Amino acid sequence: MPEYIVEMKLITKKFPGIVANDDITVQIKKGEIFALLGENGAGKSTLMSMLFGMYEPDEGEIWVRGSKVKIDSPNFATKLNIGMVHQHFKLVQNYTIAENIILGVEPMKKLAGIFPYVDIRDAGRRIEKLSKKFGLEVDPDNKIEDVNVSIQQRVEILKMLYREAEILIFDEPTAVLTPQEIEFLLDIIKGLREGGKTIILITHKLEEIKKVADRCAVLCRGKLIDILDVKETSTRRMANLMVGREVNFETVKKPAHRKDVVLKVSHLTVKNQEHFEIVKEVSFSIRGGEIFAIAGVSGNGQVEIADAIAGLTKVSGGTIELNDTDITNYNIRRRTLCGISYIPEDRQNFGLVLDFTLSDNLALKSYFKKNFSPKGILNRGEIDRYGNKLIEKYDIRSGQGVRTLVRSMSGGNQQKVIIAREIELASPFMIFVQPTRGLDIGAIENIHNMILQERDKGKAILLISLELDEIMSISDTIGVIYNGQLQKTAETKSLTPKEVGEFMMGVRHG
Amino acid sequence: MDKEKRKPTKPTEKMNLSSDSPGISFHLLANEKWQPITIPAFSILLSLIAAAIVILLIGKNPLNAFLNLLQGSGILPKPSYAGYKGILTDFLSLLNAMTPLLFASLAVAVAFKAGLFNIGVSGMMLTAGFTATVAVGYSDLNSFLAKPVVLIIGIGAGAVMGAFVGWLKYRFNINEVVSTIMLNNIAQYVFGFFINAYIVDPVSRQSRYILDSSRLTLVNVEYGGLKMDIPLGFILAIAAAVFLKFFMDKTILGYEIKTVGANRNAAKYAGINVKKNIILAMVISGALAGLAGVTYYLGYFSSIQPKVLSSVGYDAIAVSLLGNSNPVGIVFSSLLISIISKGSTYMSSIAGIDQDIASVITGLILLFSACGEYIKFKIRRLNDRQLERKESEA
Amino acid sequence: MDTIIIDGLSFALPLFIMAIGGIYSERSGITNLAIEGLQGFGAFIGALAVILISNFAKTDLESLFYLAIAFAMIGGMVFSILHAVLCIKFKANQVISGVVINILSVALTSFLTSQINKNAFGAASDKFQLGVSKRFTIGGLSRIPVIGAVFKGIYPFEIVIIIIAFFAWYVLYKTRYGLRLRACGDNPHSVDAAGVEVSRIRFTAVMVSGALSGLGGMCFAYSISANFSPNIYMGYGYLAIAALIFGNWKILPALGACLIFGFAKSGGYRIVQLMKLPSAYSDLIMILPYVLTLLLLIFFSKTNRAPRALGEIYDKGKR
């Protein structure tokens, strides 16, 4: 038996404009937990996508179990007993857990010896056996749309195990989980190692690596920096290697100077399309100069709160007051003019018109104002001048200036367009939903600083994020939501992440 | 990253894209600034080639056929003319036929800008034409009063029907393609029934001819020894195209409609009233379709054939797609489609090719236009690859 | 009452089989407005094939009925490849592609019909005469009061449709292919991740819908119109789409919707006959299915849920 189960030798992968992997060599031992550490865009996912057959390397070789292989498709990777849990789950929402697990490798039976059919019962039995063995409890007959993210992740893991995977790749598995769920997942991963599996963990979170990994490869901008023995390396050293410079663990933040109440939400209730109360009797208020963050597991009503305040969703009960004006029944435009800025979660489908130019997107909420369109006729020159001003002020990078189609811009710059537009509205109240999702560390820092700057100008800010780290580091007050209800509202300083996690899961009540 | 990007481009017979020395045509197509013109031109070329193959297959000479198309539509002179006829007669007749098509295509384009696919232009045309015929066509109003009233009724009838479709879309989320098709069929049979029951001419089996006072085309005007039909609506149609161009590019309302069409969620988020804009776009679209209807049934023709929908509404989709929903582009593409359909009668009589070939060519143009995005995409990818190659060589 | 059931069924079943085709295509994620054009083109190929064969072999047209159906299905399937290529390979807008195919189908079949009539048979006609296929009655069962009518005056194609429909149901809900197909319409990425080629599944699904549309079109040509002519484009393809929308993209409820259309139409005609109205009024009855479609859509479109990935262009790289 060779020493290494997987060897990737001198791997280079280029995409138009960037070298995603540059001469990377990693060797992974059977039965270890091997971590890949690096910022977003460092090339971790690309490297593992090649091991899983989604891309092929431009240069270099992949060896599995001592023989050289050419992995040209996920199917072949599966044959080599390699499995991968992607960052975005690949599940069919209206299928049961069992149907999802067997998709692609369906067990068949024949009716009357002629008509083949999918034997879902046999699948169910096998799944139950597997889930008992590895402590991954699921009900195979539940539909995906009815179970939470943590269960969905278990389904993804079961999918690999059902295909008899021996080498398991996890791509940022903890990004969407609560601290408690993370603990649980890390235990499962350790259990898998005990069961003889080899695990590759892609992450940018140092604590996780410290907790479970045996060895860790640090990647930075497509290059392999070092391979470390986790037990013998300090977290700080790993962090410095990852970013390639000294890192501030804490965002520099002045203490909050709270002023008068700007936004007051009382007994807010929102129903979804199925008339289910997704937000129940939620009350809170935000003062000028304060960042109020709503923490919670995805799908517990936090986005609906933001939409209800901005006017995108109908309110079925309660009131919303902005600077002592009741805006509950105002339409969206009127609320914007009253002073609400909104950075939405889904920037491509809500925040931007991708097929419009940069200047049109920057004017999306002000094109109708006197200076841009006197007498109902658009003044293109003025709109472009305004666009150029914002491009400079917010350092928005684009190919063809104001004429660039936003579709062709990078995610970070698209987000800058939205934030620039919303800040320029000069609203006393701003909503940020998942403002840093999918951005790299540089961009994240930049956006955090912008949010803090706005706070220090005296604005009231509502921050909704699934990243607990983000909430802990920049917010002044935290409201934890579970099942549509605020469980706890307190000063950020007075709470630990673990406590917040308990409220998020509904196991503790304030 | 786009996995597709790594695959080598398969050589396409259509255009020698993968060759190492791309021809002039490629350079023309690759220039993004000219793409709004070059890509439709390319689609037309492809469909003419395809049509030529069809014509060859039935054993006729395609070049002669195309020449006949141009002659029949008054672009090129015919070898001989009957009395009172000349190239000018044919050309004016072309404009006469083009007028409703231009209106109809603008109707499709406005809806398309709002993200709606109005297939109901034919039904709206019939509704407007029938209403105007019944209300004004047989009345003794004088010419100066009757013509404007016909236009107003056309606009009104079309707009009401458009508003209904917009309302169904917004209020009940009914796919406008399905609802407009249903309305087409309903209009066809309901008005067919009324025509047959009340205003049918027993000889022609069509509705009785309207009086000249309400007709939007001046027929048989004698000038310079020629008898010509002068389509008054043509000037209005051009004016509508110019206005629409201005409306879409320069006004707040146009900007809002375009935003709703490009991304309905973002429009709502930006505080734009999506309902109002969907209905407004359909009202404008309907009004234009109504104008198409009156210039067709009370201009180009002067009666209505019961239980038949005009093909103009469908040709308009091709025209609009070809003109990239841009009013200026549409003026040219509607001229082209009119030449094909108008010239086909003459071609049929001279070359013996069934005149349905005109709609086949239109259909082919439509088909290749639908591939326009793909062609653009291919070209962009090829450009990237060439750039890369140059970089790696350097 | 009997005629209402007999005529209703013979209208509803071809509609139903086209709706099943639509369900295949749309459950795989490809919007299919091309059904109208596909059924016409299929019927054209079927009619053309039997006309030519009967001319050469001097056989009776009616006996070639099953051959016509086979050719119609092939014709519809071949034409549907155009839709599949446009939507899947060329990533064209699926609504536009559907409309394009409908327009092209009408143009092409009208042109070819008259051209072939002129060149091959020397007749100036835009029709291929087919006749109406023979009906039969199942003796014992047809004597049951009221419901017995179901077994009276059956067109052979109704049996064919029922068999194929049952088979289609089985494939869609019980087999491996069906499981994968429905997954494509909800989340194609999951299918891709499971190592199954999404575009291949979608391609075949569109082809199935082409074949079934062709079958439906041929049935109309052999019953209602007794010929192939451009009049076959009556918007029935769109009725099938409406039926599958009320049916919530499921086969059995879609059958219910088709039956409602069928009985509305035959019932309407019966009323005109019973009230001894002049025949012009039958034009007004013709609008019943269309009006019903609109009304049903008004009541059902809000609650119904389309497949999640319907109409989205699938790009492997996009995550």
Side-chain angles (χ1 to χ4, degrees):
Chain A
M1 205 51 197
E3 187 188 355
Y4 297 110
I5 189 165
V6 172
E7 294 168 90
M8 301 183 81
K9 297 178 181 173
L10 300 172
I11 301 282
T12 296
K13 176 74 197 169
K14 288 176 192 159
F15 290 115
I18 53 160
V19 182
N21 286 159
D22 189 358
D23 260 346
I24 294 182
T25 300
V26 292
Q27 293 168 308
I28 297 155
K29 293 177 197 156
K30 183 170 165 48
E32 73 171 338
I33 298 179
F34 187 88
L36 280 175
L37 177 67
E39 293 184 54
N40 281 323
K44 305 162 291 184
S45 295
T46 309
L47 188 66
M48 284 306 112
S49 299
M50 283 186 280
L51 181 58
F52 192 58
M54 285 157 54
Y55 306 128
E56 285 174 61
D58 297 336
E59 287 163 42
E61 295 172 355
I62 300 177
W63 293 60
V64 176
R65 294 185 193 89
S67 47
K68 190 181 160 188
V69 288
K70 185 171 175 288
I71 307 177
D72 51 6
S73 72
N75 272 350
F76 189 66
T78 308
K79 278 203 191 104
L80 291 170
N81 301 93
I82 299 172
M84 182 162 180
V85 175
H86 300 272
Q87 191 173 0
H88 300 279
F89 301 153
K90 310 210 164 185
L91 297 170
V92 183
Q93 292 292 317
N94 61 357
Y95 273 16
T96 64
I97 288 177
E99 285 172 326
N100 267 288
I101 291 173
I102 61 170
L103 188 69
V105 288
E106 304 84 354
M108 300 302 288
K109 244 188 178 175
K110 276 188 178 166
L111 184 72
I114 315 166
F115 300 110
Y117 70 95
V118 176
D119 189 359
I120 199 83
R121 270 203 218 132
D122 176 57
R125 278 191 295 273
R126 280 189 59 195
I127 290 162
E128 264 170 32
K129 223 186 277 170
L130 272 178
S131 59
K132 280 224 181 77
K133 187 174 165 194
F134 291 100
L136 291 157
E137 273 160 58
V138 294
D139 179 351
D141 296 330
N142 272 347
K143 282 196 175 174
I144 294 295
E145 55 199 0
D146 298 331
V147 300
N148 66 30
V149 184
S150 163
I151 304 269
Q152 291 183 7
Q153 191 172 50
R154 281 182 213 172
V155 176
E156 286 284 6
I157 299 173
L158 281 167
K159 248 163 101 175
M160 296 192 292
L161 297 173
Y162 189 86
R163 288 163 172 74
E164 295 170 339
E166 293 296 324
I167 301 158
L168 312 180
I169 308 168
F170 288 86
D171 191 356
E172 300 277 2
T174 58
V176 287
L177 304 180
T178 65
Q180 284 76 7
E181 287 168 338
I182 292 174
E183 287 294 320
F184 192 76
L185 175 72
L186 295 178
D187 283 344
I188 288 174
I189 291 180
K190 279 193 236 167
L192 290 167
R193 176 177 57 186
E194 257 114 68
K197 311 278 183 195
T198 306
I199 285 140
I200 303 173
L201 183 64
I202 302 174
T203 183
H204 63 264
K205 293 187 184 166
L206 299 162
E207 323 89 81
E208 290 163 15
I209 294 184
K210 205 68 193 162
K211 269 180 198 150
V212 297
D214 300 307
R215 293 192 306 141
C216 158
V218 184
L219 266 63
C220 182
R221 282 173 209 163
K223 289 202 168 74
L224 178 68
I225 304 298
D226 205 351
I227 297 184
L228 308 162
D229 193 318
V230 173
K231 279 200 200 82
E232 290 164 11
T233 317
S234 73
T235 321
R236 180 161 290 277
R237 181 167 143 70
M238 283 197 270
N240 289 345
L241 285 175
M242 169 168 98
V243 186
R245 59 183 155 89
E246 280 290 316
V247 200
N248 287 319
F249 270 102
E250 301 283 316
T251 312
V252 190
K253 190 176 123 184
K254 292 178 220 155
H257 293 287
R258 291 193 171 87
K259 295 178 183 143
D260 293 338
V261 169
V262 174
L263 181 87
K264 185 158 180 260
V265 174
S266 324
H267 306 289
L268 179 70
T269 300
V270 179
K271 286 182 182 165
N272 69 1
Q273 279 190 328
E274 281 88 39
H275 301 286
F276 171 77
E277 283 189 359
I278 191 136
V279 176
K280 292 170 211 157
E281 297 268 331
V282 165
S283 304
F284 60 90
S285 56
I286 309 178
R287 291 172 179 274
E290 177 187 14
I291 298 178
F292 182 96
I294 297 184
V297 177
S298 167
N300 273 287
Q302 54 271 63
V303 176
E304 283 75 7
I305 292 179
D307 280 350
I309 295 172
L312 271 82
T313 302
K314 256 194 202 148
V315 169
S316 55
T319 54
I320 301 162
E321 285 166 60
L322 185 68
N323 283 332
D324 296 327
T325 316
D326 184 351
I327 60 164
T328 318
N329 296 317
Y330 284 16
N331 64 23
I332 301 171
R333 172 67 47 86
R334 202 157 162 211
R335 290 183 202 216
T336 308
L337 295 176
C338 278
I340 296 182
S341 287
Y342 183 18
I343 289 87
E345 178 181 31
D346 188 341
R347 60 184 83 112
Q348 300 207 327
N349 284 319
F350 280 85
L352 296 167
V353 183
L354 292 177
D355 290 320
F356 275 13
T357 61
L358 185 46
S359 60
D360 273 355
N361 271 289
L362 286 167
L364 192 62
K365 284 192 178 174
S366 46
Y367 64 90
F368 52 89
K369 290 186 178 159
K370 277 264 145 35
N371 49 336
F372 290 141
S373 47
K375 292 175 191 152
I377 310 296
L378 297 174
N379 182 344
R380 287 273 165 204
E382 190 58 39
I383 291 175
D384 284 352
R385 247 193 305 284
Y386 176 74
N388 277 320
K389 197 181 94 190
L390 264 57
I391 288 176
E392 200 160 316
K393 187 167 167 190
Y394 293 90
D395 188 26
I396 300 167
R397 309 268 169 87
S398 64
Q400 295 155 291
V402 286
R403 293 265 147 266
T404 318
L405 289 188
V406 170
R407 184 181 289 285
S408 67
M409 294 166 56
S410 73
N413 278 302
Q414 289 182 348
Q415 185 71 328
K416 274 191 201 166
V417 174
I418 299 179
I419 293 181
R421 179 183 68 215
E422 298 303 314
I423 288 179
E424 288 297 312
L425 289 176
S427 316
F429 170 60
M430 300 185 76
I431 307 171
F432 288 84
V433 182
Q434 295 263 66
T436 58
R437 192 187 52 161
L439 304 183
D440 62 42
I441 271 199
I444 292 175
E445 267 185 16
N446 187 355
I447 285 172
H448 284 170
N449 285 333
M450 282 203 235
I451 297 177
L452 288 169
Q453 263 173 31
E454 293 305 303
R455 178 197 73 164
D456 294 341
K457 280 187 214 158
K459 294 187 179 178
I461 287 169
L462 173 63
L463 169 69
I464 292 174
S465 175
L466 300 177
E467 300 264 355
L468 196 47
D469 298 349
E470 178 168 86
I471 287 181
M472 297 307 290
S473 72
I474 67 169
S475 73
D476 302 309
T477 315
I478 294 184
V480 188
I481 194 164
Y482 172 71
N483 220 350
Q485 287 172 313
L486 275 189
Q487 303 288 321
K488 173 84 179 174
T489 307
E491 285 271 314
T492 305
K493 277 176 282 183
S494 68
L495 292 165
T496 65
K498 190 152 181 292
E499 284 171 317
V500 177
E502 282 167 3
F503 287 115
M504 278 162 74
M505 311 243 297
V507 294
R508 192 167 155 177
H509 304 274
Chain B
M1 289 293 163
D2 188 353
K3 197 184 171 196
E4 287 267 300
K5 273 198 180 138
R6 296 173 311 108
K7 282 192 196 157
T9 322
K10 284 193 196 117
T12 18
E13 314 100 279
K14 281 186 233 145
M15 21 169 202
N16 212 0
L17 279 186
S18 56
S19 77
D20 274 343
S21 53
I24 296 170
S25 63
F26 171 73
H27 279 298
L28 267 175
L29 280 170
N31 188 335
E32 280 190 23
K33 198 178 152 199
W34 290 101
Q35 272 183 356
I37 296 169
T38 50
I39 291 197
F42 189 64
S43 311
I44 295 166
L45 193 69
L46 283 180
S47 38
L48 287 181
I49 292 170
I53 294 171
V54 175
I55 295 172
L56 272 178
L57 283 179
I58 57 173
K60 312 277 173 174
N61 180 343
L63 287 181
N64 275 342
F66 293 150
L67 181 68
N68 291 336
L69 278 182
L70 291 177
Q71 290 172 329
S73 54
I75 301 294
L76 293 178
K78 292 174 187 169
S80 64
Y81 286 98
Y84 294 112
K85 301 248 176 188
I87 185 168
L88 192 59
T89 332
D90 286 343
F91 185 70
L92 282 171
S93 170
L94 173 72
L95 296 187
N96 198 5
M98 175 180 158
T99 305
L101 183 62
L102 180 50
F103 276 126
S105 309
L106 294 173
V108 173
V110 174
F112 199 71
K113 284 279 180 195
L116 301 163
F117 216 60
N118 184 1
I119 309 197
V121 171
S122 289
M124 293 173 182
M125 282 171 65
L126 180 60
T127 309
F130 177 81
T131 318
T133 300
V134 173
V136 190
Y138 309 125
S139 75
D140 47 13
L141 278 182
N142 74 40
S143 187
F144 290 101
L145 221 53
K147 290 188 208 306
V149 173
V150 165
L151 288 174
I152 289 166
I153 288 178
I155 292 174
V160 168
M161 207 152 148
F164 182 61
V165 172
W167 179 73
L168 287 176
K169 172 81 183 178
Y170 184 81
R171 181 73 180 73
F172 302 105
N173 193 25
I174 295 178
N175 187 325
E176 73 283 359
V177 174
V178 177
S179 69
T180 48
I181 295 276
M182 294 302 126
L183 288 175
N184 275 352
N185 283 307
I186 294 171
Q188 178 184 349
Y189 289 114
V190 169
F191 298 127
F193 166 77
F194 282 115
I195 292 169
N196 277 332
Y198 300 105
I199 54 171
V200 77
D201 180 327
V203 181
S204 68
R205 312 289 297 156
Q206 302 199 345
S207 67
R208 296 199 311 273
Y209 291 114
I210 56 161
L211 301 173
D212 278 348
S213 57
S214 54
R215 196 165 170 184
L216 298 173
T217 297
L218 303 176
V219 284
N220 291 332
V221 178
E222 281 201 39
Y223 180 80
L226 296 173
K227 272 191 182 168
M228 292 169 293
D229 294 348
I230 297 175
L232 298 176
F234 182 73
I235 295 156
L236 199 62
I238 296 289
V242 173
F243 169 75
L244 209 61
K245 175 84 182 146
F246 173 80
F247 178 79
M248 277 298 163
D249 289 355
K250 298 280 176 194
T251 67
I252 286 188
L253 285 172
Y255 178 90
E256 291 190 348
I257 287 180
K258 275 191 295 184
T259 311
V260 168
N263 184 339
R264 207 163 288 171
N265 291 326
K268 185 181 171 192
Y269 156 83
I272 292 170
N273 186 336
V274 175
K275 178 184 178 177
K276 183 190 94 180
N277 280 287
I278 283 183
I279 292 179
L280 177 68
M282 277 315 295
V283 164
I284 298 173
S285 175
L288 288 164
L291 284 169
V294 290
T295 49
Y296 186 75
Y297 293 111
L298 293 88
Y300 186 61
F301 291 112
S302 57
S303 69
I304 305 173
Q305 192 184 352
K307 288 205 276 178
V308 173
L309 282 178
S310 153
S311 70
V312 169
Y314 300 103
D315 288 346
I317 297 168
V319 171
S320 179
L321 206 56
L322 192 60
N324 213 0
S325 299
N326 180 330
V328 177
I330 285 174
V331 170
F332 290 99
S333 56
S334 63
L335 179 66
L336 176 82
I337 301 286
S338 302
I339 289 173
I340 293 171
S341 65
K342 192 74 189 147
S344 66
T345 326
Y346 179 72
M347 177 191 71
S348 159
S349 66
I350 298 289
I353 304 169
D354 196 279
Q355 68 177 23
D356 280 338
I357 189 75
S359 32
V360 174
I361 299 178
T362 311
L364 288 170
I365 290 178
L366 198 52
L367 181 70
F368 290 118
S369 304
C371 306
E373 278 303 310
Y374 182 71
I375 298 173
K376 247 186 252 177
F377 164 75
K378 276 266 169 186
I379 288 168
R380 207 176 308 133
R381 189 198 290 176
L382 203 75
N383 271 345
D384 287 350
R385 281 155 48 82
Q386 281 192 334
L387 260 167
E388 251 173 73
R389 195 182 302 153
K390 271 179 204 153
E391 274 169 16
S392 62
E393 275 165 10
Chain C
M1 191 64 203
D2 279 11
T3 39
I4 295 180
I5 292 181
I6 293 168
D7 291 347
L9 276 178
S10 66
F11 180 68
L13 287 173
L15 217 51
F16 175 48
I17 203 71
M18 295 200 285
I20 293 180
I23 289 173
Y24 264 71
S25 170
E26 303 220 331
R27 283 304 285 265
S28 84
I30 303 286
T31 308
N32 195 348
L33 292 174
I35 293 178
E36 175 79 356
L38 295 175
Q39 60 95 22
F41 196 84
F44 165 75
I45 294 291
L48 178 63
V50 294
I51 292 275
L52 291 178
I53 291 170
S54 76
N55 234 15
F56 285 115
K58 302 286 174 229
T59 40
D60 175 34
L61 267 174
E62 271 170 45
S63 57
L64 291 171
F65 169 67
Y66 294 100
L67 203 65
I69 283 187
F71 272 101
M73 290 178 79
I74 293 168
M77 184 149 71
V78 169
F79 208 54
S80 70
I81 292 175
L82 203 56
H83 186 55
V85 169
L86 279 175
C87 295
I88 298 164
K89 178 107 182 50
F90 287 3
K91 301 179 165 64
N93 179 321
Q94 298 174 5
V95 173
I96 291 181
S97 168
V99 172
V100 166
I101 285 188
N102 291 341
I103 292 176
L104 193 62
S105 172
V106 177
L108 216 51
T109 54
S110 324
F111 172 69
L112 290 177
T113 309
S114 40
Q115 203 68 42
I116 290 168
N117 269 329
K118 191 157 51 174
N119 291 3
F121 307 116
S125 161
D126 64 345
K127 286 183 182 127
F128 291 142
Q129 275 303 335
L130 294 173
V132 178
S133 82
K134 279 203 186 69
R135 299 166 181 245
F136 65 94
T137 297
I138 301 173
L141 293 171
S142 63
R143 262 170 249 131
I144 306 168
V146 188
I147 314 172
V150 172
F151 304 99
K152 268 185 221 160
I154 307 173
Y155 287 110
F157 67 69
E158 294 179 43
I159 307 294
V160 174
I161 285 173
I162 288 167
I163 294 169
I164 293 183
F166 187 78
F167 186 67
W169 173 86
Y170 160 78
V171 170
L172 190 62
Y173 293 109
K174 295 293 163 193
T175 65
R176 175 183 283 179
Y177 173 73
L179 186 78
R180 293 171 178 182
L181 187 151
R182 286 179 290 130
C184 281
D186 190 88
N187 183 358
H189 297 280
S190 68
V191 181
D192 202 25
V196 179
E197 190 82 34
V198 174
S199 52
R200 190 172 302 165
I201 299 240
R202 290 188 164 175
F203 217 101
T204 49
V206 173
M207 284 169 69
V208 168
S209 88
L212 297 185
S213 304
L215 169 61
M218 198 72 242
C219 296
F220 282 133
Y222 257 110
S223 58
I224 297 178
S225 48
N227 63 39
F228 173 84
S229 77
N231 284 333
I232 199 153
Y233 301 100
M234 298 271 283
Y236 293 153
Y238 292 101
L239 280 188
I241 292 167
L244 76 89
I245 295 176
F246 317 140
N248 216 354
W249 287 267
K250 291 188 184 116
I251 288 182
L252 270 180
L255 173 62
C258 292
L259 289 175
I260 294 177
F261 288 153
F263 294 140
K265 192 170 175 221
S266 57
Y269 273 119
R270 191 78 192 126
I271 292 169
V272 173
Q273 279 175 3
L274 287 178
M275 293 173 72
K276 300 205 169 56
L277 294 171
S279 71
Y281 280 85
S282 66
D283 284 345
L284 280 185
I285 298 304
M286 291 292 282
I287 70 169
L288 265 179
Y290 308 116
V291 173
L292 208 62
T293 303
L294 278 182
L295 286 178
L296 286 174
L297 280 175
I298 285 174
F299 289 115
F300 285 93
S301 342
K302 271 253 157 128
T303 53
N304 282 3
R305 217 167 61 182
R308 258 187 208 83
L310 182 61
E312 273 176 26
I313 294 165
Y314 177 60
D315 201 338
K316 270 188 185 175
K318 207 180 98 189
R319 277 187 284 186

